Amino acid sequence: MIGYRQLSWLVVAVAAVLPACGDGDAVDVPPGSGPVSFSVQRVFPNLPAFSQPVALIQAPGDASRWFVVEQAGRVMVFSNNATVSAATEFVNITARVAAGGETGLLGMAFHPDFPGDPRVYLSYTFSDSTLGLVSRISEFTAINGGATLDPTTEQVVMTVQQPETNHNGGGIGFGPDGFLYIGFGDGGGGDDQHGSIGNGQRQSTLLGKMLRIDIAGTNGAFRYQIPLDNPYRGNAFCGDDGTGTLNCPEIYALGFRNPWRWSFDRQTGQLWVADVGQDALEEVDRVVVGGNYGWRCFEGTRNTGMACGSLPNLLPPVAEYGRSLGQSITGGYVYRGTAVPSLVGQYVFGDFLSGKIFSIPAGTQPTMTVSSGFDSGLNISSFGEGNDGELYVVDYGGALYRVSP
């Protein structure tokens, strides 16, 4: 792993994409889809290195602070000041987090009305005495006017049993509709091996899905309700262990292997999901309610040949890239800032293992093949979006960077 001090200089990035579709015919590319030049610059260099950071977040309407989620179970907070030299604990739940490899504290979401509504949601893996390894979505309450999160206030919202230790997904966030969205991987192992058609296509499990719930109300013992247009609304909830006898009403979209980092376009509300591939292709999906994005029938546009049932209308990715560019996609954001005008309207994302950063036009359709990317030298675990629309890059080694002109 390259240390953060080695990358404190300015690096110019060029992300190029070549349009392609399954039959090899030419595809019209939207204006502004050519290579875009930008840089990544080290920010907050006086802070000590964070420990395996996996998310960078600002609270709604508050640009004065940044929050860094550390995989082992801490959330650190620091002032949004270029010369800041210390971060403090916002919350520490390391004692209850099962962390290591792909497990750990993996996501955080502030209630849209925070701190007026002091609820904050954490997504983490936990060793349950009955179910074994599970993913938890839990609600916590902030105290001291939102200065810290009280770990004793935990209310478990959802529990999903994990048959393996990898492909946990773990991203959570509120959409422009005010509902809480949650991403889970297929349960791990290779080839989505659990069940005759795999978890990605099996609709009676929450694994391999993007979920959407309404935390404004409750339903019996469950601390959420189901939005009116979720595909399987009316069925029994699956949030006590992640499975049901009928199709799970929490499901928003299906057919994912491991949706590691996803986001909403702050201008259009479009949901963008980066789904980690297996043997050949990494993919970017523009996700709609009820959409089926193919896994394990397809890895990107590649037919895997594995049995996955007869579900129709599989939706192809809007972009993909092969092993020459990377092996573990990290989702980013559609850029809506002002610092890099040529990048506005481009979806920016990266690869954890290769460190490459890419950009594609947000209007791209159908599938584009990403042909090259900017080699940042970082282990890109996440991207962050400021309240002002500017983008940041999280290096798993502990440092933070900003996308700059």
Side-chain angles (χ1 to χ4, degrees), residues 29-51:
V29 183
S33 62
V36 176
S37 295
F38 55 92
S39 68
V40 291
Q41 293 178 296
R42 175 79 185 279
V43 290
F44 311 116
N46 297 326
L47 286 173
F50 294 100
S51 176

Side-chain angles (χ1 to χ4, degrees), residues 35 46 69 104 126 132 139 143-144 170 195 239-240 243 271 294 308 313 384 386:
N46 297 326
V69 177
F126 173 77
E139 175 188 293
I143 57 176
N144 304 323
D240 53 358
T243 61
L271 174 58
C308 60
N313 302 321

Side-chain angles (χ1 to χ4, degrees), residues 286-303:
R286 279 204 308 260
V287 174
V288 297
V289 61
N292 185 341
Y293 295 87
W295 179 252
R296 70 181 187 175
C297 315
F298 284 84
E299 178 189 12
T301 58
R302 182 182 75 92
N303 190 328

Side-chain angles (χ1 to χ4, degrees), residues 15 44 83 95 98 129 131-133 145 160 178 230 237 258 267 318-319 326 375 398:
F44 311 116
T83 60
S129 59
L131 299 176
L133 183 69
V160 177
N230 274 22
F237 288 15
N258 191 28
Q267 179 171 301
V318 295
D375 190 356

